[in-house]
Amino acid sequence: MREIYLDNSATTKVLPEVAGVIQDVLTKEYGNPSSLHRMGVAAERVKTEARRTIAGGCGVKESEIYFTSGGTEANNLAIKGAARRNRRRGNHLVTSKIEHPSVLYAFRALEDEGFSVTYLDVNQAGQVNPEDAAAAVGAETILMSLMHVNNEVGAIQPVEEIGRRIKEKNSDVLYHVDAVQSFGKLPVRPSAWHADLVSFSAHKIHGPKGAGALWRRNGVHLEPLLHGGGQEDGLRPGTENMAGIAGFAAAARLALKSREKNFEHLQNLKSRFLAGLEEHISEVTHNGSGEDAPHILNVTVAGIKGEVLVHALEEQGVYISTGSACHSHRPDPSHVLLAMGLKEEEIGASLRFSFSSLNTETDIDQTLEILEQTVESIRLMTRR
C-alpha cells in the first residue's frame, strides 16, 4: 500500500541529508562543546555554525539564539521566564484563545502564581484584531504572546501590525511570537515584528524531534526554567543535544534555501486539494480563509466524525489528523475551532490536512479519490 503522509503540522519526515548530518555528529563529532580538547572545540564549532544558520534565517544576531529541546520549551522559557523576571513592573499578561497548548498552559500556570491574563478573541478566520490587542495593553502589562501561524487552521496573525500597536501603547511590553509553524516556510522577521522573543522548532521542517531554539533580543532578561551548568549563557543549562542542534541547522539550511519555491509548491497543492474537495464531496466547509498559510487546511465534512475518517483513511495508507497532535488524546473539542465560532458537532467533524515539500500532486489526487469513496461509503451506511 502506498503511504501518503498529510500530517506535516504534527511532525515531518527527517530528510536523508539531515539524517546524515545527525549520524556524523552521533558517531564522529560527538564531543561535548564545553570540553577544552580538540573534540570539544569541533563540537563547539558545529554549534556556532548552527546558531549562525538559525540567526541568518530570520535576520538576527547569532548571539541572540539559544538552543532548547523544542518549541514547547522555547515557549515556556519565553513566557514564564519573561513574566517571572519582570514581575516587579506589573502582573498583567496577554495572549489569544487559539494558542498552542505549550503557550496556553504556560499562561494558566502563571495565573496560579498570581498573574492576571487576558485571552484575546479571534474572528471566524482565526485572526486576532490588532485593535483588540492594543486595547488589552495597560500600564501593568509586561508580556504579550501570539503565534505567527496557527497549527490547526493555518491562520496567519498580523504580528507586525500588532507588535507596532502594542509598542506604541506601552514600549515596555515584551512581545513573544511563536514561529514554530512558520519558520522555514514563511518570512520570519523579529525586528520588523517589533518582537523581543521568538520560538522555533526543528521537527516541523524535516529536522529531528527534541531540538528547537529561542531568539531573545539583546537586553531582554529572562528567568531560566532550569538551573545547572552555564550552557547557553546560563539561560538553558544542560549538556547540549548536539545531534539535534546539527540536524536542526541542516534542516533549516535546506528549508530556507528553497523557501520561496516550496511556498509556491505548497500553495498549489492546497489549492488543488481544496478545489477537489469542493468539486467531489458535498457539505464540506473550509475552516479558515484564502489568506491562510499554504501548508495547513482545516475542513468540516458534515455528518461524519473526524476520528472515523482519520482511521478509515489510515486503513488505506493516508495519514491525516483531526487537529493538533498535542490535543488528540483529550476529549474536549478543539479550543481553536471553538474560538472561531464553530458548533461542537462541526468541530467533531473537522479534519486537518497539512502538506510538506515532499508531497506531490499525485498524493493530492489519490487522497481526494480515497476520501470521496470513503465519505460516500460512510454516509450510505449511516443513512440506512
Side-chain angles (χ1 to χ4, degrees), residues 4 20 66 81 90 98 116-117 125 133-134 147 195 204 213 222 259 262 271 274 336 357 367 373 375:
I4 303 176
Y66 299 86
I98 64 162
S116 167
V117 181
M147 64 197 335
K204 308 297 188 184
L222 301 177
R259 187 177 58 77
N262 288 343
S271 298
L274 186 56
V336 175
S357 59
T367 299
Q373 292 168 357
V375 168

Side-chain angles (χ1 to χ4, degrees), residues 130-172:
E131 290 183 10
D132 294 344
V137 171
E140 289 291 310
T141 309
I142 56 174
L143 172 71
M144 179 176 292
S145 176
L146 295 173
M147 64 197 335
H148 185 200
V149 171
N150 182 267
N151 56 310
E152 291 193 37
V153 299
I156 301 174
Q157 299 301 336
V159 289
E160 182 171 344
E161 184 180 355
I162 290 173
R164 177 176 58 77
R165 283 175 175 253
I166 65 172
K167 293 287 183 176
E168 286 174 354
K169 186 87 177 285
N170 181 348
S171 60
D172 292 330

Side-chain angles (χ1 to χ4, degrees), residues 5-9 151-154 270 273 277 281 284 293-301 309-310 313 318-323 350-356 359 364 367-368 371:
Y5 185 77
L6 300 178
D7 196 17
N8 291 282
S9 285
N151 56 310
E152 291 193 37
V153 299
K270 182 175 176 177
F273 192 70
L277 280 177
I281 302 176
V284 172
H295 58 293
I296 301 173
L297 176 66
N298 192 301
V299 298
T300 295
V301 181
L309 271 176
V310 166
L313 293 182
V318 179
Y319 297 90
I320 63 168
S321 70
T322 53
S350 295
L351 300 168
R352 181 184 69 181
F353 300 86
S354 49
F355 315 105
S356 91
N359 291 126
I364 297 302
T367 299
L368 282 168
L371 185 60

Side-chain angles (χ1 to χ4, degrees), residues 24-267:
D24 283 347
V25 171
L26 288 172
T27 59
K28 297 175 184 173
E29 304 286 349
Y30 54 85
N32 185 327
S34 297
S35 296
L36 298 179
H37 50 65
R38 182 188 61 77
M39 291 186 69
V41 172
E44 178 64 28
R45 195 178 302 124
V46 169
K47 190 173 69 163
T48 300
E49 184 57 37
R51 210 185 300 279
R52 186 172 299 140
T53 298
I54 306 303
C58 49
V60 298
K61 298 174 184 173
E62 59 189 78
S63 61
E64 298 173 323
I65 297 292
Y66 299 86
F67 290 110
T68 66
S69 64
T72 289
E73 185 187 342
N75 284 339
N76 272 266
L77 177 57
I79 295 163
K80 293 177 181 173
R84 290 168 179 166
R85 182 58 185 261
N86 295 280
R87 189 167 200 163
R88 289 182 181 176
R89 293 198 291 108
N91 77 333
H92 179 234
L93 315 169
V94 184
T95 189
S96 85
K97 292 181 177 177
I98 64 162
E99 300 299 309
H100 187 270
S102 63
V103 169
L104 286 176
Y105 282 93
F107 276 101
R108 288 174 189 169
L110 290 169
E111 284 182 298
D112 291 339
E113 296 178 19
F115 287 94
S116 167
V117 181
T118 296
Y119 296 92
L120 297 169
D121 290 322
V122 296
N123 61 19
Q124 288 185 328
Q127 292 179 314
V128 171
N129 184 332
E131 290 183 10
D132 294 344
V137 171
E140 289 291 310
T141 309
I142 56 174
L143 172 71
M144 179 176 292
S145 176
L146 295 173
M147 64 197 335
H148 185 200
V149 171
N150 182 267
N151 56 310
E152 291 193 37
V153 299
I156 301 174
Q157 299 301 336
V159 289
E160 182 171 344
E161 184 180 355
I162 290 173
R164 177 176 58 77
R165 283 175 175 253
I166 65 172
K167 293 287 183 176
E168 286 174 354
K169 186 87 177 285
N170 181 348
S171 60
D172 292 330
V173 172
L174 295 175
Y175 185 35
H176 167 243
V177 178
D178 173 359
V180 165
Q181 287 289 349
S182 61
F183 180 67
K185 298 165 188 166
L186 276 68
V188 170
R189 292 287 176 262
S191 298
W193 296 349
H194 309 274
D196 302 287
L197 300 152
V198 179
S199 301
F200 310 101
S201 177
H203 76 105
K204 308 297 188 184
I205 54 170
H206 301 287
K209 298 171 185 63
L214 176 68
W215 169 75
R216 179 188 65 160
R217 182 174 59 76
N218 279 340
V220 172
H221 300 290
L222 301 177
E223 188 76 29
L225 299 179
L226 305 173
H227 298 87
Q231 294 92 344
E232 298 299 288
D233 289 337
L235 194 61
R236 203 287 181 183
T239 303
E240 296 89 341
N241 170 16
M242 287 307 302
I245 289 170
F248 184 11
R253 275 191 290 275
L254 293 167
L256 293 166
K257 182 181 177 183
S258 305
R259 187 177 58 77
E260 292 183 4
K261 186 178 75 172
N262 288 343
F263 184 94
E264 188 177 345
H265 176 63
L266 293 168
Q267 206 159 38

